[in-house]
């Protein structure tokens, strides 16, 4: 029975794509997200076996985690009216099988397709996923020339792990494909061990890759027989016949095919890394992809230069494994400074993170680098085409640094406030330590047993061994005098290990910050530069640092006498207009062009459909804020560079006015219910801040409301009658957060509502006064909960399921909104008989500002009093460009930059 015109859940089926052993495939419309998808409906008998369903669900979850530009994405496994179906990315274009029917594919085009297939297999293998059924029919080529590998791992997910195999069955037959105990893989592309029913590993995909590559080069199937039995016999017994290959095929490719098609699994390639590299090297061979063996040897003799140099000078390279061009310019002389740009693949963007700073790191030998996106950390090797997402990282992976051997990467998980390390190949991250506050995303893995980082706001500059996991404080924060002494960032142990070079970040900007050298023994300090951050001593005898000049952040260099701890010359500008940089020990410089975006944020209204309306307020460093109950104004925390103050924006007059003027840090405003006064957090009377009150029109003085011993106290919500203020009490060392209340009156009384070993934060009382929403980490990750109020012990319910923060109530208390990274979700609340929370629904998604740690995500968005729209903060990426266009997403690379540095800034 045709499914066309019917609906499954919120998917409207519009056409049939195909039918196979694992079910029928349809094109459908996702009515929620407004996108076309592919639907694979699994056979009816599948649903009758609960063990198979459970097994398939486990496998599908793993498959859905694959995130690679050459792998067709699986969006989810759904069920509607007892029909189980997969929701997958809809790929346009022909399959390789369709292309092969027209004849052999030209060698260079075929190798470009093969390279993308190899990159897809390599990425999946690194996540522990084996395809098991690779064949031309499972590979699509889009009209733009991008390869997409389909049905990754579905053969195993569908058939399971049974080993009672029937050699006469083939997955190409729909009846047999529904049976458990099937041979996983289509007969003509099976490896010998598959055909024999033996246990398999990723080398079955390497065999199939060789068969597919042979077929696209020749237009002929390598082992196809008259029936399944004869086909399997050829796989097991016949040696590959390479006589049909192009006579001038590159010798690397011939050797590649021989290694992929070794019947003895021990002699086959052990990973897809090797064939991928062979294809890359054949493609970038200056002699071309069709050369004789002698020509290749001659080419090696002429170049005498590693393949990295060839890759660097490919000026037309576009990453991501899509269409790209090659040129054959002369190779550079050793030591020559080489410049080229790396543009991020289409759809990728740098992730500025909550601090507005990008993640960028280069390996000590300069051969590979990583950069941060919303998807996670991407790895790029200089001698390879394309980038690869490091599995196990995500948009919360901030800052990065390579291990000395280039095999590991250390980074900060901003959501968990932990320092972690991960293999460059991806996998399960290893926790190194938790932070007292949060780890500022500038980390340095300086030696085999030393990682340096800064833990703020009250921790300091620290050192940790990547194996021991016990941090040692090198420089303590001094919260009593942050304005003068600043926060210690960018620590570097200088050669000799007697002194530490670091930045005193005073305020949020560069103007008052300074570079300091400190004795490790006495603690004596010497200021080297003011108006500077990110100082680093180089093996060339220079210190480089970042300073601002007319809103442009530039890299300066000065010669430095390490013995005297003195500069021996003036600063010289080396790189202008950069927003993040990284330098390898070998002298390769990376930098992202453009100004730092941290200081430019704009305001927008966003309705429930996700449509934005800009607010004509000048770009500023806006952060925590609340809308007044009458809807006419919003109060913000604005970072002034030396501290923070409360500002008020009038939506009608479009005027921003300042409410507080002290050097103390004032933040986290909360309007009283009559919109006349503002409660806010301030450190004006000590190292830990309390809650204060001030008239919103600026008249009168500032009234102290409450201070909690040994904790920072923040105002978060008022009860519906205005008699109770709900607060968050937080200490950063050790991390601890509780929710309290202040009963208003002549002598305000304070007591705790939620306290204990878990962190509870961001309390919000419902407008009807009966419920309190908040976040807690009691389940391991931050989730949203609701309790009764004011008696919180009468009932408790979990609202979010996959992470959540900063809840907001609708004015009628019937909907609760919350954020989960870049998503805004809504949950219907029914209290007619008893409290019932609906299923979280995605409201809209966008790149809006939020702090580093969701447990600190106090007031980064708000709902309008009518409940129809939300006030959000956006990063302004346009810089000083009057057009407002975003800057190119690129990394500038300078090889042998040390040569330029030594020439322009001589060292005595």
């Amino acid at each position: 029975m045709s499914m066309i015109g019917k609906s499954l859940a919120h998917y409207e089926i519009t056409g049939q794509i195909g039918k196979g052993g694992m079910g029928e495939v349809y094109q459908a419309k996702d009515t929620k997200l407004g996108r076309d998808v592919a639907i694979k409906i699994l056979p009816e008998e599948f649903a009758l076996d609960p063990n198979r369903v459970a097994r398939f669900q486990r496998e599908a979850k793993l498959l859905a985690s694959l995130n690679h530009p050459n792998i067709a994405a699986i969006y989810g496994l759904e069920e509607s009216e007892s029909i189980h179906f997969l929701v997958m990315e809809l790929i346009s274009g022909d399959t390789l099988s369709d292309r092969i029917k027209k004849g052999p594919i030209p060698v260079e085009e075929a190798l470009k397709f093969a390279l993308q297939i190899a990159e897809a297999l390599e990425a999946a293998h690194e996540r522990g996923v084996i395809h098991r059924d690779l064949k031309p029919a499972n590979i699509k080529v889009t009209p733009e020339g991008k390869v997409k590998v389909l049905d990754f791992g579905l053969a195993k997910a569908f058939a399971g792990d049974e080993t009672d195999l029937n050699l006469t069955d083939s997955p190409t037959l729909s009846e047999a494909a529904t049976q458990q105990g099937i041979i996983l893989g289509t007969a003509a592309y099976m490896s010998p061990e598959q055909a024999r029913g033996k246990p398999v590993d990723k080398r079955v995909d390497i065999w199939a890759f060789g068969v597919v590559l042979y077929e696209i080069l020749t237009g002929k199937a390598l082992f196809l027989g008259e029936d399944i039995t004869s086909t399997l016999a050829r796989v097991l017994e016949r040696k590959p016949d390479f006589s049909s290959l192009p006579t001038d095929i590159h010798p690397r490719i011939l050797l590649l095919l021989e290694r992929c098609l070794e019947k003895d699994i021990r002699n086959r390639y052990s990973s897809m890394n090797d064939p991928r590299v062979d294809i890359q090297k054949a493609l970038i061979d200056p002699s071309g992809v069709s050369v004789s063996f002698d020509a290749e040897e001659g080419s090696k003799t002429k170049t005498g230069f590693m393949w990295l140099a060839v890759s660097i000078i490919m000026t037309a390279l576009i990453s991501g494994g899509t269409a790209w061009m090659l040129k054959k310019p002369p190779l550079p002389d050793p030591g020559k400074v080489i410049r080229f740009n790396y543009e991020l693949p289409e759809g990728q963007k740098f992730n500025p993170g909550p601090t507005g700073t990008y993640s960028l790191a280069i390996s000590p030998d300069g051969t590979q680098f990583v950069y941060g996106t919303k998807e996670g950390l991407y790895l790029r090797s200089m001698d390879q085409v394309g980038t690869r997402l490091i599995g196990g990282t995500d948009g919360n992976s901030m800052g990065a640094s390579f291990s000395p051997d280039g095999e590991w990467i250390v980074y900060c998980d901003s959501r968990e406030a932990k320092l972690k390390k991960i293999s460059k190949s991806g996998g399960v991250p290893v926790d190194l330590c938790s932070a007292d506050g949060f780890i500022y995303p500038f980390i340095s893995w300086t030696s085999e047993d030393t990682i340096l980082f800064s833990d703020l706001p009250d921790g300091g500059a620290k050192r940790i061994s990547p194996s021991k996991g016990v941090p040692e404080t090198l420089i303590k924060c001094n919260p009593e005098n942050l304005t003068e002494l600043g926060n210690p960032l960018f620590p570097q142990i200088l050669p000799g290990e007697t002194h530490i070079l670091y930045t005193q970040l005073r305020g949020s900007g560069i103007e008052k910050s300074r570079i300091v050298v400190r004795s490790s023994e006495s603690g004596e300090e010497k200021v080297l530069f003011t108006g500077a951050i990110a100082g680093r001593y180089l093996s060339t005898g220079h210190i480089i640092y970042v300073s601002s000049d007319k809103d442009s952040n530039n890299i300066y260099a000065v010669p430095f006498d390490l013995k005297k701890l003195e500069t021996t010359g003036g600063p010289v500008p080396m790189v202008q207009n950069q927003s993040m940089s990284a330098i390898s020990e070998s002298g390769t410089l990376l930098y992202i062009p453009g100004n730092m975006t941290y200081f430019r944020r704009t305001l927008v209204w966003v309705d429930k459909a996700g449509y934005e309306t800009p607010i004509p307020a000048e770009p500023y460093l806006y952060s925590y804020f609340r809308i007044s109950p009458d809807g006419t104004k919003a109060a913000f925390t604005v970072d002034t560079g030396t501290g923070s103050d409360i500002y008020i924006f009038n939506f009608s007059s479009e005027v921003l006015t300042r409410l507080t003027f002290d050097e103390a840090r004032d933040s986290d405003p909360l309007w009283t219910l009559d919109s006349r006064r503002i409660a806010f957090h301030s450190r004006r009377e000590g190292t830990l801040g309390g809650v204060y009150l001030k008239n919103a029109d600026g008249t009168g003085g500032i009234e102290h409301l409450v201070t909690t011993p040994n904790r920072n106290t923040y105002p978060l919500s008022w009860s519906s009658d205005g008699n109770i203020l709900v607060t968050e009490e937080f200490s950063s060392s050790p991390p601890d957060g509780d929710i309290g209340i202040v009963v208003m009156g002549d002598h305000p009384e304070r007591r705790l509502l939620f306290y204990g070993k878990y962190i509870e934060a961001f309390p919000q009382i419902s407008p009807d006064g009966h419920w309190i929403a908040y976040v807690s980490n009691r389940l391991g990750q931050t989730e949203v909960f609701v309790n009764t109020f004011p008696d919180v012990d009468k009932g408790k319910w979990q609202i979010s399921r996959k992470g959540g923060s900063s809840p907001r109530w609708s004015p009628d208390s019937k909907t609760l909104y919350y954020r989960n990274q870049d998503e805004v979700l809504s949950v219907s609340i029914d209290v007619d008989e008893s409290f019932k929370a609906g299923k979280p629904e995605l409201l809209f998604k966008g790149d809006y500002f939020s702090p580093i740690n969701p447990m600190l995500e106090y007031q980064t968005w708000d709902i309008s009093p009518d409940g129809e729209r939300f006030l959000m903060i956006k990063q302004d990426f346009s810089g000083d460009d009057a057009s407002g266009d975003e800057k190119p997403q690129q990394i500038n690379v300078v090889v042998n930059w040390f040569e330029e540095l030594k020439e322009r800034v001589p060292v005595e």
Side-chain angles (χ1 to χ4, degrees):
M1 181 178 65
S2 175
M3 294 291 295
I4 299 175
K6 297 183 179 181
S7 294
L8 291 175
H10 55 276
Y11 300 97
E12 296 179 354
I13 297 178
T14 58
Q16 185 165 7
I17 298 174
K19 184 177 181 179
M22 285 183 289
E24 299 176 338
V25 184
Y26 294 91
Q27 181 171 337
K29 184 77 172 182
D30 185 338
T31 58
K32 282 191 176 181
L33 299 179
R35 64 181 176 184
D36 291 325
V37 298
I39 296 287
K40 183 184 286 286
I41 297 178
L42 303 175
E44 183 178 356
E45 57 269 27
F46 173 87
L48 301 178
D49 187 343
N51 292 329
R52 294 182 70 191
V53 173
R55 181 173 59 249
F56 195 95
Q57 288 173 337
R58 292 194 300 269
E59 294 293 335
K61 183 176 181 181
L62 174 61
L63 303 180
S65 70
L66 294 179
N67 184 357
H68 191 274
N70 298 120
I71 296 176
I74 293 179
Y75 297 142
L77 176 63
E78 305 283 351
E79 179 184 2
S80 177
E81 300 178 356
S82 300
I83 297 176
H84 293 264
F85 59 96
L86 281 168
V87 184
M88 304 178 293
E89 180 182 5
L90 181 66
I91 309 297
S92 60
D94 296 329
T95 65
L96 270 183
S97 181
D98 296 328
R99 293 288 300 272
I100 294 170
K101 290 176 183 177
K102 302 174 184 179
I105 297 174
V107 173
E108 186 166 347
E109 184 180 11
L111 292 183
K112 291 177 182 178
F113 290 161
L115 179 61
Q116 297 178 67
I117 299 169
E119 290 178 336
L121 291 172
E122 183 179 14
H125 291 174
E126 288 171 349
R127 296 298 302 272
V129 177
I130 306 171
H131 195 294
R132 286 180 168 84
D133 194 19
L134 186 71
K135 55 187 176 182
N138 278 339
I139 302 167
K140 273 201 168 186
V141 181
T142 70
E144 298 78 26
K146 175 177 283 190
V147 165
K148 288 280 189 176
V149 182
L150 313 178
D151 288 354
F152 242 106
L154 290 187
K156 176 179 185 295
F158 189 79
D161 298 322
E162 284 75 3
T163 58
D164 181 17
L165 303 179
N166 183 348
L167 296 184
T168 64
D169 289 339
S170 170
T172 58
L173 304 178
S174 60
E175 296 87 358
T178 63
Q179 299 175 12
Q180 298 188 53
I182 199 170
I183 302 174
L184 303 181
T186 304
Y189 304 92
M190 284 183 186
S191 66
E193 61 270 22
Q194 273 181 300
R196 291 189 174 99
K198 292 185 176 182
V200 300
D201 59 22
K202 61 186 178 182
R203 286 172 288 186
V204 300
D205 286 349
I206 297 174
W207 169 279
F209 174 77
V211 178
V212 170
L213 178 55
Y214 176 92
E215 190 167 338
I216 62 179
L217 286 169
T218 64
K220 301 177 182 179
L222 183 55
F223 296 111
L224 185 61
E226 296 178 357
D227 53 30
I228 294 175
T229 302
S230 62
T231 297
L232 292 177
R234 292 183 178 189
V235 168
L236 292 170
E237 300 171 5
R238 179 176 293 186
K239 292 183 179 181
D241 179 8
F242 295 142
S243 62
S244 296
L245 290 169
T247 56
D248 58 351
I249 191 73
H250 196 290
R252 281 189 180 275
I253 304 306
L254 183 58
L255 291 172
L256 179 153
L257 287 168
E258 290 179 352
R259 286 293 305 279
C260 286
L261 297 173
E262 286 281 358
K263 294 185 186 295
D264 187 339
I265 193 172
R266 297 171 298 176
N267 297 331
R268 203 177 304 157
Y269 282 130
S270 60
S271 78
M272 280 305 302
N273 173 268
D274 297 318
R276 173 184 57 75
V277 171
D278 282 339
I279 295 172
Q280 287 176 336
K281 290 185 176 181
L283 282 167
I284 64 175
D285 190 332
S287 301
V289 295
S290 300
V291 295
S292 68
F293 186 81
D294 290 338
E296 185 204 25
E297 289 300 306
S299 173
K300 290 181 180 178
T301 304
K302 288 179 184 177
T303 59
F305 201 81
M306 63 180 183
W307 288 99
L308 170 61
V310 179
S311 177
I312 289 174
I313 59 178
M314 294 192 302
T315 57
L317 181 64
I318 301 176
S319 74
T322 59
W324 45 282
M325 299 171 57
L326 295 174
K327 294 185 179 181
K328 301 177 184 178
L331 293 172
D333 296 329
K336 182 178 179 180
V337 177
I338 309 167
R339 285 179 163 82
F340 68 100
N341 300 333
Y342 165 75
E343 291 192 9
L344 270 61
E346 183 179 357
Q348 274 190 19
K349 288 187 177 181
F350 294 118
N351 180 18
T355 63
T357 53
Y358 302 124
S359 299
L360 183 66
I362 186 168
S363 61
D365 63 5
T367 62
Q368 51 191 339
F369 61 87
V370 296
Y371 58 90
T373 71
K374 285 289 186 180
E375 293 76 41
L377 297 175
Y378 275 85
L379 176 73
R380 170 65 192 270
S381 295
M382 296 287 196
D383 61 347
Q384 297 176 6
V385 176
T387 59
R388 176 175 54 80
L389 180 66
I390 300 176
T393 66
D394 56 25
N396 300 305
S397 304
M398 307 299 301
S401 181
F402 279 90
S403 60
D405 62 6
E407 295 299 316
W408 290 80
I409 295 166
V410 62
Y411 66 95
C412 165
D413 186 321
S414 61
R415 180 159 291 271
E416 297 183 14
K418 289 182 178 179
L419 195 69
K420 299 183 176 184
K421 69 175 183 178
I422 191 170
S423 167
K424 71 175 185 181
S425 300
V428 179
V430 178
D431 292 352
L432 296 180
C433 68
S434 296
D436 289 340
F438 60 85
I439 298 170
Y440 209 83
F442 296 104
I443 306 162
S444 178
W445 196 330
T446 59
S447 66
E448 186 176 338
D449 62 349
T450 300
I451 296 172
L452 302 176
F453 66 99
S454 292
D455 179 2
L456 304 178
D458 301 326
K462 296 184 176 181
R463 169 170 56 191
I464 188 173
S465 166
S467 58
K468 294 180 180 178
V470 180
E472 169 195 359
T473 299
L474 299 175
I475 306 171
K476 293 183 178 179
C477 276
N478 188 342
E480 297 182 4
N481 196 3
L482 286 177
T483 301
E484 177 61 26
L485 298 181
N487 284 311
L489 296 180
F490 307 99
Q492 179 189 12
I493 300 175
L494 294 176
E497 301 190 1
T498 60
H499 289 81
I500 301 171
L501 187 75
Y502 76 99
T503 296
Q504 288 181 351
L505 184 67
R506 301 193 296 167
S508 61
I510 295 178
E511 181 181 353
K512 292 190 176 182
S513 297
R514 55 197 186 189
I515 309 297
V516 175
V517 62
R518 174 189 179 95
S519 169
S520 303
E521 296 181 359
S522 67
E524 182 181 354
E525 296 188 340
K526 177 194 292 188
V527 176
L528 299 180
F529 319 104
T530 57
I533 62 171
R536 177 178 173 184
Y537 176 79
L538 302 177
S539 60
T540 56
H542 299 86
I543 285 181
I544 60 170
Y545 61 89
V546 174
S547 189
S548 291
D549 180 19
K550 297 180 180 180
D551 297 326
S552 174
N553 294 320
N554 307 323
I555 298 177
Y556 289 82
V558 295
F560 184 73
D561 188 323
L562 188 62
K563 293 182 179 180
K564 296 180 179 179
L565 300 176
E566 295 177 352
T567 59
T568 58
V572 176
M574 296 297 298
V575 178
Q576 293 184 316
N577 198 30
Q578 63 84 43
S579 56
M580 182 59 64
S581 63
I583 304 173
S584 73
E585 294 177 5
S586 62
T588 297
L589 168 70
L590 306 180
Y591 67 93
I592 299 174
N595 294 330
M596 296 270 287
T597 60
Y598 179 43
F599 303 100
R600 296 178 64 88
R601 295 177 184 156
T602 57
L603 308 176
V604 293
W605 288 112
V606 183
D607 66 18
K608 294 179 181 179
Y611 293 104
E612 295 181 1
T613 303
I615 296 174
E618 64 176 303
Y620 231 126
L621 194 56
Y622 303 104
S623 55
Y624 313 122
F625 67 91
R626 293 301 291 267
I627 301 172
S628 61
D630 62 14
T632 62
K633 303 177 184 68
F636 294 86
T637 303
V638 173
D639 204 314
T640 60
T642 58
S644 61
D645 281 287
I646 308 300
Y647 283 66
I648 296 175
F649 181 76
N650 188 304
F651 293 118
S652 177
S653 66
E654 300 177 356
V655 173
L656 184 70
T657 58
R658 186 170 179 172
L659 183 66
T660 62
F661 296 84
D662 312 84
E663 289 191 2
R665 299 188 65 85
D666 301 329
S667 65
D668 299 86
L670 175 68
W671 296 86
T672 55
L673 298 183
D674 59 8
S675 300
R676 293 183 177 181
R677 307 182 79 191
I678 292 177
F680 61 95
H681 168 82
S682 178
R683 292 190 176 191
R684 61 189 53 241
E685 293 183 7
T687 60
L688 297 174
V691 180
Y692 297 79
L693 281 167
K694 183 174 176 63
N695 293 335
D697 61 6
T699 62
I702 294 177
E703 174 187 346
H704 174 255
L705 186 58
V706 63
T707 298
T708 305
N710 303 318
R711 286 182 163 195
N712 282 298
T713 307
Y714 302 87
L716 269 297
S717 182
W718 292 100
S719 61
S720 55
D721 58 9
N723 292 328
I724 296 176
L725 173 65
V726 182
T727 62
E728 162 67 11
E729 299 181 5
F730 187 81
S731 63
S732 59
S733 183
D736 183 30
D738 296 328
I739 294 173
I741 63 172
V742 178
V743 181
M744 305 299 291
D746 293 337
H747 302 285
E749 299 179 4
R750 165 195 163 268
R751 64 181 176 88
L752 289 176
L753 284 184
F754 300 101
Y755 53 92
K757 65 178 181 178
Y758 302 110
I759 297 178
E760 276 87 20
F762 206 89
Q764 296 290 292
I765 301 175
S766 61
D768 63 13
H770 299 314
W771 318 97
I772 182 170
Y774 61 98
V775 299
S776 173
N777 67 350
R778 64 175 52 245
L779 299 181
Q781 65 178 350
T782 304
E783 300 285 3
V784 177
F785 295 85
V786 167
N787 280 47
T788 52
F789 186 83
D791 187 346
V792 297
D793 296 326
K794 288 186 176 181
K796 178 178 181 176
W797 299 268
Q798 182 181 346
I799 303 300
S800 63
R801 299 296 172 182
K802 297 180 180 179
S805 63
S806 58
R808 283 281 184 270
W809 290 96
S810 63
D812 60 5
S813 302
K814 294 183 178 180
T815 305
L816 187 63
Y817 305 97
Y818 67 89
R819 296 181 67 176
N820 186 14
Q821 300 184 60
D822 57 355
E823 297 180 340
V824 173
L825 300 100
S826 66
V827 176
S828 61
I829 305 296
D830 182 1
V831 294
D832 289 340
E833 297 181 2
S834 61
F835 186 94
K836 295 180 181 179
K839 181 180 178 181
E841 302 286 347
L842 177 65
L843 199 61
F844 60 88
K845 187 175 182 178
D847 188 11
Y848 302 109
F849 167 73
S850 63
I852 291 178
N853 190 327
M855 299 305 295
L856 303 176
E857 195 165 341
Y858 294 139
Q859 305 173 77
T860 59
W861 70 312
D862 205 3
I863 187 171
S864 61
D866 62 7
E868 294 302 315
R869 55 185 181 171
F870 303 89
L871 184 58
M872 315 290 289
I873 298 175
K874 294 194 72 175
Q875 291 285 165
D876 180 6
F877 290 95
S878 63
D880 298 323
D881 187 351
S883 69
D885 296 333
E886 291 190 5
K887 301 296 183 183
Q889 298 285 294
Q890 73 177 43
I891 298 171
N892 291 357
V893 183
V894 187
V895 180
N896 292 326
W897 183 70
F898 280 178
E899 300 302 316
E900 179 179 311
L901 173 63
K902 289 184 286 187
E903 180 180 347
R904 294 183 56 188
V905 190
V907 175
E908 296 179 359

